[in-house]
């Protein structure tokens, strides 16, 4: 209720008084007012900051992150925009800054999220995203733990549609989730020990390892299935490098299988070696040592035998009629086992090195200087056009003197 007075416009005297009744509906009375609207909190934020916070919140909703992650990412974004290093950057880098804050938050909470996933959601170049991420980590002094492969394997395999019977999944494709995760973890650990994960995107490695694990659990019915069909039935995307990672994993398994005693009599290839993945993973430490560390030992033995052969043939020893005391046993071993060294060399594979060292990229060779071109001595004549490039006009001379005085 409010009191109403009717006042004369000419003299200002009160003509009448009365009560003015105002009624409010239930909808107006119970309407919720946001805290930011009632206090003017949003008016204190710049438009760029509001747009960035909204982008961070939308990204967290797309990734289905908990509310705690969203609050932490927003706080990181607000702190970063207050620094001079991010205040005057381009709009593209400011958009990537929100993604970097989400990426840092997920890593700090051991949430398996890769940089490639964020870049695909933001349609960003990975090199630019990595530069913004490193500068954010440096400016805010954040400690970002490395990605846990175990968490990534569990999260990635949880999206596979192979664990529950559905009309789209045939019966031979169904598999127990715990068995598949355990076998995939073993293959991923093997890939990590053989330099196949270092410096690479982990998702293609995990996809190839999951395919090998799935095949090895029931090889009789699954060896004929290619990787593309497996990913299509499982309902996951096929990363382009997954075929290369699968080829590298099979080469490692073949090298290990050549050192397993009960498999030496079989003619194994990249298809049949999948049947023995369980045995290879069980003895992987011993097999890796034998398959990839014998080349160095053989080179040392060849060097030692090469150093011993000239000593046996020196003129002093021939005149004295005395030979090396170790020469007769070595000769007997070579005569008795002429094929043993050859078989060992055929069985040995390359040393255990990163793939970038084994198959380096071809680089363009610099063009060799032609002998016909005369060598430059510094006494060559200077053309008039080249001299005119270094001469200044009177206006330029006056401007240069004025700037020099300042």
């Amino acid at each position: 209720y409010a009191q109403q007075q009717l006042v004369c416009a000419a003299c200002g005297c009160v003509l009448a008084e009365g009560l003015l009744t105002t009624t409010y509906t239930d909808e107006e009375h119970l309407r919720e007012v946001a805290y930011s609207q009632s206090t003017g909190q949003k008016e204190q934020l710049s438009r760029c900051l509001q747009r960035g916070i909204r982008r961070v919140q939308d990204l967290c909703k797309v990734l289905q992150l908990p509310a705690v992650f969203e609050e932490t990412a927003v706080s990181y974004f607000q702190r970063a925009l207050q620094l001079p290093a991010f205040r005057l950057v381009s709009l593209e880098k400011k958009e990537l800054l929100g993604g970097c804050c989400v990426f840092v938050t997920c890593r700090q909470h051991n949430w398996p999220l890769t940089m490639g996933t964020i870049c695909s959601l933001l349609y960003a170049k990975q090199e630019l995203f990595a530069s913004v991420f490193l500068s954010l980590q440096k400016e805010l002094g954040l400690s970002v733990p490395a990605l846990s492969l175990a968490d990534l394997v569990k999260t990635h395999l949880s999206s596979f549609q192979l664990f529950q019977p559905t009309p789209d999944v045939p019966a031979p494709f169904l598999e127990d989730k715990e068995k598949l995760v355990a076998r995939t973890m073993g293959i991923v650990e093997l890939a990590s020990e053989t330099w196949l994960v270092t410096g690479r995107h982990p998702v293609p490695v995990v996809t190839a390892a999951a395919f090998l694990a799935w095949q090895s659990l029931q090889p009789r019915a699954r060896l004929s299935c290619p990787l593309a069909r497996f990913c299509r039935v499982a309902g996951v995307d096929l990363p382009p490098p997954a075929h290369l990672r699968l080829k590298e994993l099979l080469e490692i398994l073949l090298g290990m299988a050549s050192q397993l005693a009960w498999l030496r009599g079989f003619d194994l290839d990249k298809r049949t070696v999948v049947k023995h993945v369980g045995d290879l993973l069980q003895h992987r430490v011993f097999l890796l040592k034998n398959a990839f560390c014998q080349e160095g030992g053989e080179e040392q033995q060849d060097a030692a035998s090469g150093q011993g052969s000239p000593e046996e043939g020196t003129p002093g020893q021939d005149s004295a009629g005395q030979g090396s005391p170790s020469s007769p046993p070595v000769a007997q071993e070579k005569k008795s086992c002429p094929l043993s060294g050859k078989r060992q060399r055929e069985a040995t594979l390359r040393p255990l090195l990163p793939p970038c060292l084994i198959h380096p990229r071809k680089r363009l060779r610099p063009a060799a200087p032609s002998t016909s071109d005369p060598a430059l001595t510094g006494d060559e004549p200077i053309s008039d056009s080249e001299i005119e490039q270094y001469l200044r006009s009177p206006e330029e001379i006056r401007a240069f003197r004025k700037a020099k005085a300042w």
Side-chain angles (χ1 to χ4, degrees):
Y1 298 93
Q3 190 170 5
Q4 182 185 23
Q5 294 180 350
L6 184 59
V7 182
C8 179
C11 60
C13 61
V14 178
L15 300 178
E17 293 184 1
L19 293 177
L20 178 64
T21 304
T22 305
T23 58
Y24 298 94
T25 61
D26 294 340
E27 295 179 356
E28 294 178 350
H29 182 68
L30 299 177
R31 184 178 59 186
E32 295 182 359
V33 180
Y35 174 77
S36 58
Q37 296 177 358
S38 62
T39 58
Q41 181 184 12
K42 284 188 176 181
E43 297 177 359
Q44 301 175 2
L45 303 178
S46 63
R47 185 176 299 177
C48 177
L49 185 58
Q50 294 181 21
R51 187 167 55 249
I53 292 175
R54 196 181 308 113
R55 186 180 300 110
V56 171
Q57 292 174 349
D58 294 342
L59 191 59
C60 293
K61 292 177 182 178
V62 170
L63 295 172
Q64 298 181 358
L65 301 179
V68 181
F69 290 23
E70 181 178 331
E71 296 175 0
T72 307
V74 169
S75 65
Y76 284 158
F77 184 78
Q78 291 178 342
R79 287 173 52 189
L81 280 189
Q82 294 176 0
L83 300 176
F86 298 104
R87 192 173 300 165
L88 299 178
V89 296
S90 61
L91 182 61
E92 184 180 6
K93 289 187 176 181
K94 285 183 180 180
E95 292 179 355
L96 297 183
L97 183 61
C100 291
C101 295
V102 176
F103 179 69
V104 169
T105 305
C106 292
R107 283 290 182 89
Q108 290 179 344
H109 290 82
N110 294 326
W111 190 274
L113 181 67
T114 60
M115 190 177 294
T117 304
I118 294 289
C119 291
S120 62
L121 291 176
L122 298 179
Y123 301 99
K125 296 181 180 179
Q126 296 181 0
E127 295 81 5
L128 184 60
F129 185 88
S131 64
V132 177
F133 166 70
L134 292 177
S135 59
L136 174 68
Q137 185 178 0
K138 179 181 177 181
E139 294 294 335
L140 295 184
L142 302 174
S143 60
V144 183
L147 179 64
S148 174
L149 281 177
D151 295 338
L152 180 62
V153 168
K154 295 178 182 178
T155 306
H156 190 60
L157 291 185
S158 63
S159 61
F160 284 28
Q161 301 175 1
L162 302 175
F163 311 118
Q164 294 180 357
T166 58
D168 299 333
V169 180
F173 282 80
L174 294 177
E175 189 53 65
D176 183 57
K177 184 176 182 179
E178 296 182 359
K179 292 181 180 180
L180 186 61
V181 170
R183 181 63 61 87
T184 306
M185 276 299 306
I187 298 177
V188 170
E189 291 175 359
L190 175 64
S192 178
E193 294 173 359
T194 53
W195 301 93
L196 298 183
V197 184
T198 307
R200 289 171 164 178
H201 297 290
V203 174
V205 181
V206 175
T207 304
F211 174 66
L212 278 179
W214 174 79
Q215 277 190 330
S216 63
L217 290 174
Q218 295 184 19
R220 183 175 298 179
R222 299 172 178 174
L223 281 180
S224 59
C225 178
L227 177 60
R229 187 188 176 195
F230 168 76
C231 294
R232 185 169 59 253
V233 175
V236 295
D237 296 331
L238 175 60
H243 290 283
L244 300 177
R245 302 295 89 84
L246 178 61
K247 181 181 178 181
E248 293 171 350
L249 281 172
L250 289 174
E251 291 177 356
I252 295 295
L253 293 175
L254 277 175
M256 295 168 59
S258 64
Q259 302 299 321
L260 203 57
W262 58 85
L263 293 180
R264 290 178 181 174
F266 297 96
D267 188 13
L268 298 178
D269 55 7
K270 293 183 179 180
R271 183 178 180 182
T272 56
V273 74
V274 182
K275 301 178 181 179
H276 311 282
V277 169
D279 295 335
L280 297 176
L281 293 179
Q282 186 177 359
H283 308 283
R284 72 169 185 263
V285 178
F286 173 78
L287 296 177
L288 282 176
K289 183 178 180 181
N290 286 355
F292 298 98
C293 297
Q294 287 184 358
E295 185 167 338
E298 288 184 357
E299 290 177 355
Q300 295 178 0
Q301 292 178 3
D302 295 341
S305 62
Q307 292 176 359
S309 56
E311 293 178 358
E312 295 174 1
T314 53
Q317 289 179 351
D318 292 340
S319 62
Q322 295 177 357
S324 175
S326 61
S327 57
V330 172
Q332 291 177 4
E333 288 180 1
K334 289 184 178 180
K335 291 180 181 179
S336 60
C337 301
L339 298 178
S340 60
K342 183 179 180 181
R343 289 178 180 176
Q344 288 181 358
R345 287 184 178 88
E346 289 179 355
T348 55
L349 296 178
R350 56 173 175 78
L352 194 57
L353 295 173
C356 61
L357 296 180
I358 299 171
H359 305 289
R361 293 183 178 179
K362 295 182 180 180
R363 298 179 180 178
L364 296 177
R365 296 181 179 179
S370 60
T371 56
S372 60
D373 296 339
L376 299 178
T377 60
D379 299 332
E380 291 79 14
I382 303 176
S383 61
D384 295 340
S385 60
E386 189 175 1
I387 293 177
E388 291 176 356
Q389 294 178 1
Y390 299 97
L391 295 180
R392 294 189 178 95
S393 62
E395 292 81 10
E396 290 178 344
I397 294 175
R398 287 193 295 268
F400 177 76
R401 289 176 180 175
K402 192 175 181 180
K404 189 175 181 181
W406 288 346

